[in-house]
Amino acid sequence: MRLKELIEKIKPTFSKGGKLGMFSSTFEAFESFIFVPNTVAKTKGSHIHDSIDLKRTLSVVIIALMPAMLFGMWNTGYQHFLSIGEEVNLVDTFFYGFLKVLPLIIVSYAVGLTIEFASAQIRGHEVNEGYLVTGMIIPLIMPVDVPLWILALSVIFAVIIGKEIFGGTGMNIWNPALLSRAFVFFAYPSKISGDKIWVAGLENAQNIADGFSGATPLSYAAANEIDKLPDTLDMFLGIIPGCIGETSTIAILLGAALLIFTGIASWKIMLSTVAGALFAGFLANMLGGTPYLEMPAWQHLIMGGFAFGAVFMATDPVTSSQTETGKWIYGFLTGLVAIVIRLFNPGFPEGMMMAILLMNTFAPLIDHCVVQSNVKKRLKRKSAL
Amino acid sequence: MNSNSRLKVFTTPFNSGNPVTVLVLGICSALAVTVKLQPAFVMAISVTVVTAFSNVIISFLRNTIPNSIRIIVQLLVIATLVILVNEILKAYVYDVSKQLSVYVGLIITNCILMGRLEAFALGNKPIPAFIDGIANGMGYGIILIIVAFFRELFGSGTVFGIQVIPESWYVTQGGFYLNNGLIILPPMALIILGCIIWIHRSINKDLQEK
């Protein structure tokens, strides 16, 4: 029997009023996953036809994340073998990282999608694809050695408290992926800060190679040891310790190119975030005083999670500003706040997470102000006539 | 007032009239003293005692207090009782009293007390007022204890200071477990409180706004 026939046959059982009607959302989700959504536009009125829907939008983001993820897997292996002083070929390096990263991705998706399906079922909504990207981003912004139960807890927190209680996908105030990271950061700080946790197996390693420290560029910088920073090319390529997906600026730029080319993410937010960061960096350069403050402003862009945050998370269409002017303001302030936190708060070597979450909070306010000022401008123009 | 309506006065604060989850009063102390169960428990008892007796005293005085100065009279009664409670705590459970620090003194400004005096004691006889005070204090205390239970269990691994989560689970002992640092911070208390309100409203459908 063909799959389509099978689905048509069991459909009445899962429809409302059927024997297993309580699982109608789950059934619908799988049906539209395998084939196409069974809803079509109503015949009344005129419609603009566009092949881009939520599913396709999110698929493009997933593809854009691939370079960062694949590079992250290789880098996980590379940093690990570097730390124990072994020379290993490319395939083994990648495979080691692959085995380290895969469980994180599986746990993230399994836990998150379970909650999504359950809550859609309870509410009687359709299951939507909102978690696909979040579930991919969460492992990429965690240290590779984060315990799986902590990852699962953070996903539960982010999806329920961050998203479902506000009404599900598209209604959330904060980026769920960053919320899960913030949860780990405050709940289990020993697993997501310090110098030992960014490289796989370093925390309990016995045979660390001479001279290997595992500190990220940002922790050197926060300690004002600018001379210890890896060289610029390494930081740009991402051959540095850090969260899985955040290290390689070039891999992230590949993703950014795809997102901008397809028009999925706003180039205005990306550009203004960079501008805000450079502005804060230049101000710090002028202020001077410590080696970190005098570090060239552009170096901030290739350190830590700045690039990843600016490309994949500040541009989240749900939690960022919606108005075009608002996007410039939102992005600029995100970059500015991120660098200010990096430079002036010794407790947080990385400011990108806090900056984006803070600006997520303010995005609706920015939009409100932009809309109101536009209304005032037009009223003025009218009364002047 | 017959025994039936007295029972109603007693039960309302535990459900549809709960001072914390429905009237949203006394939130600040619910966030501040709920890191551990012991101070939360002492706080619950203190508030219950103060609410009950201030209700009785104001109820006795309700026909003699001039309306224009009733707030200051209420404050005077509450403050006297709070100072008494504070002195007793200092004398008998000094450690807890130190943990609670200013929050015992701040019972004076706890909105539940003033709310009950204004809403109930000024218009009812002493015995119902006493019941109302006890019930509201306990309704507040129960929420405090629920919040503190989760915060102490996941934040410190203990319940009333007794280790519940086995020591051998902890990372320092070679296990995998870590205490949750977020739950000790006030924001998480607010989230737990929110979850309690969520559960309460899904059970009692009358409380849901249309």
Side-chain angles (χ1 to χ4, degrees):
Chain A
M1 199 192 297
R2 278 158 60 201
L3 191 58
K4 181 82 183 158
E5 285 168 19
L6 177 75
I7 283 178
E8 290 299 330
K9 197 181 155 202
I10 60 172
K11 200 170 190 172
T13 327
F14 285 97
S15 305
K16 289 213 169 69
K19 214 188 250 171
L20 293 170
M22 54 184 290
F23 294 115
S24 60
S25 301
T26 314
F27 178 79
E28 228 166 57
F30 279 108
E31 193 195 0
S32 51
F33 184 73
I34 298 169
F35 295 105
V36 287
N38 54 3
T39 46
V40 287
K42 293 190 181 77
T43 46
K44 260 186 188 171
S46 55
H47 294 276
I48 297 171
H49 280 271
D50 194 345
S51 52
I52 197 102
D53 62 354
L54 187 60
K55 194 158 70 173
R56 192 156 300 178
T57 309
L58 297 178
S59 310
V60 172
V61 182
I62 294 280
I63 295 168
L65 280 165
M66 283 301 127
M69 188 195 79
L70 294 175
F71 185 89
M73 286 176 172
W74 174 80
N75 192 41
T76 301
Y78 177 80
Q79 295 292 340
H80 170 73
F81 289 118
L82 194 67
S83 75
I84 56 171
E86 269 180 41
E87 294 267 333
V88 184
N89 66 27
L90 180 72
V91 177
D92 285 352
T93 308
F94 180 81
F95 196 66
Y96 177 86
F98 177 75
L99 287 185
K100 279 282 175 186
V101 178
L102 193 64
L104 299 181
I105 297 176
I106 292 174
V107 166
S108 160
Y109 272 125
V111 175
L113 287 177
T114 308
I115 300 170
E116 284 271 339
F117 273 81
S119 60
Q121 212 60 257
I122 291 166
R123 288 215 192 96
H125 287 183
E126 283 174 35
V127 179
N128 58 32
E129 300 88 343
Y131 189 72
L132 286 181
V133 168
T134 310
M136 194 74 217
I137 290 180
I138 288 175
L140 295 187
I141 55 174
M142 294 285 177
V144 64
D145 265 352
V146 66
L148 293 178
W149 68 273
I150 289 179
L151 182 74
L153 265 188
S154 76
V155 171
I156 292 172
F157 179 83
V159 176
I160 295 182
I161 304 293
K163 201 162 93 172
E164 294 305 334
I165 60 169
F166 290 105
T169 304
M171 311 295 276
N172 44 313
I173 299 175
W174 299 288
N175 186 316
L178 275 178
L179 213 56
S180 82
R181 194 179 194 277
F183 177 83
V184 180
F185 190 86
F186 287 106
Y188 305 102
S190 65
K191 291 291 169 195
I192 202 162
S193 50
D195 290 346
K196 291 284 177 196
I197 46 98
W198 304 106
V199 176
L202 187 62
E203 211 177 354
N204 303 314
Q206 307 294 328
N207 47 348
I208 301 170
D210 286 344
F212 188 88
S213 87
T216 62
L218 278 172
S219 51
Y220 283 130
N224 268 320
E225 294 164 337
I226 298 297
D227 50 317
K228 281 195 188 170
L229 282 184
D231 60 80
T232 308
L233 188 65
D234 279 0
M235 289 205 282
F236 183 67
L237 291 175
I239 314 174
I240 46 172
C243 292
I244 296 163
E246 70 170 17
T247 57
S248 171
T249 312
I250 181 142
I252 293 162
L253 282 179
L254 282 177
L258 179 70
L259 289 181
I260 292 172
F261 174 72
T262 51
I264 301 282
S266 162
W267 59 271
K268 289 173 190 166
I269 293 178
M270 293 185 203
L271 195 67
S272 57
T273 307
V274 171
L278 288 177
F279 179 71
F282 283 130
L283 282 187
N285 286 352
M286 286 203 290
L287 189 69
T290 66
Y292 194 14
L293 288 175
E294 283 161 8
M295 189 186 78
W298 55 268
Q299 279 204 347
H300 278 294
L301 307 183
I302 53 174
M303 283 167 35
F306 181 85
F308 194 87
V311 170
F312 292 109
M313 287 182 296
T315 56
D316 176 356
V318 176
T319 56
S320 63
S321 279
Q322 311 289 318
T323 53
E324 297 304 305
T325 321
K327 282 176 184 170
W328 289 107
I329 302 170
Y330 164 87
F332 189 82
L333 288 176
T334 306
L336 187 102
V337 172
I339 302 305
V340 167
I341 293 175
R342 273 189 188 179
L343 289 171
F344 296 106
N345 192 331
F348 303 109
E350 174 58 296
M352 203 56 190
M353 173 178 80
M354 296 297 169
I356 297 177
L357 285 175
L358 185 73
M359 292 318 295
N360 281 171
T361 317
F362 284 110
L365 182 69
I366 295 172
D367 280 342
H368 176 80
C369 293
V370 169
V371 170
Q372 287 306 315
S373 81
N374 197 31
V375 167
K376 269 193 198 132
K377 220 181 338 180
R378 296 181 63 148
L379 274 177
K380 214 172 167 187
R381 201 187 319 157
K382 187 174 173 274
S383 59
L385 282 176
Chain B
M1 194 173 259
N2 59 29
S3 64
N4 217 350
S5 58
R6 274 183 196 163
L7 188 70
K8 200 162 164 258
V9 167
F10 185 75
T11 52
T12 318
F14 292 97
N15 190 5
S16 58
N18 189 288
V20 185
T21 62
V22 179
L23 307 178
V24 200
L25 300 173
I27 295 291
C28 13
S29 55
L31 305 190
V33 300
T34 51
V35 174
K36 290 269 166 70
L37 264 166
Q38 200 189 10
F41 193 69
V42 173
M43 185 73 177
I45 294 174
S46 311
V47 171
T48 308
V49 168
V50 176
T51 345
F53 286 101
S54 63
N55 257 9
V56 171
I57 294 169
I58 292 296
S59 178
F60 271 123
L61 297 174
R62 70 183 186 280
N63 294 325
T64 46
I65 303 172
N67 201 27
S68 50
I69 58 160
R70 66 180 199 283
I71 300 279
I72 202 76
V73 175
Q74 288 166 8
L75 265 181
L76 206 65
V77 171
I78 297 171
T80 315
L81 287 166
V82 167
I83 290 167
L84 279 176
V85 166
N86 201 6
E87 294 301 315
I88 291 168
L89 288 184
K90 270 187 192 158
Y92 291 99
V93 277
Y94 186 66
D95 290 340
V96 180
S97 157
K98 250 169 67 184
Q99 280 181 50
L100 288 169
S101 67
V102 296
Y103 290 98
V104 176
L106 284 177
I107 295 178
I108 298 171
T109 56
N110 193 322
C111 335
I112 297 170
L113 293 157
M114 206 65 123
R116 286 339 285 170
L117 295 183
E118 282 281 301
F120 200 88
L122 277 176
N124 285 285
K125 287 185 176 159
I127 291 176
F130 182 73
I131 297 171
D132 180 77
I134 292 266
N136 272 287
M138 281 164 70
Y140 163 83
I142 280 181
I143 303 298
L144 228 62
I145 286 166
I146 296 173
V147 175
F149 173 78
F150 287 110
R151 287 184 81 186
E152 186 174 347
L153 180 62
F154 295 112
S156 320
T158 57
V159 170
F160 275 112
I162 302 158
Q163 192 72 34
V164 173
I165 291 167
E167 295 266 11
S168 58
W169 284 15
Y170 282 92
V171 171
T172 45
Q173 309 283 329
F176 67 94
Y177 188 77
L178 278 170
N179 282 330
N180 190 321
L182 181 62
I183 217 156
I184 296 177
L185 304 174
M188 202 60 185
L190 199 62
I191 291 174
I192 296 173
L193 208 56
C195 291
I196 295 172
I197 293 177
W198 179 9
I199 293 166
H200 187 194
R201 291 190 175 209
S202 11
I203 295 168
N204 189 344
K205 298 247 189 296
D206 296 340
L207 293 172
Q208 294 175 7
E209 286 96 352
K210 290 285 163 337

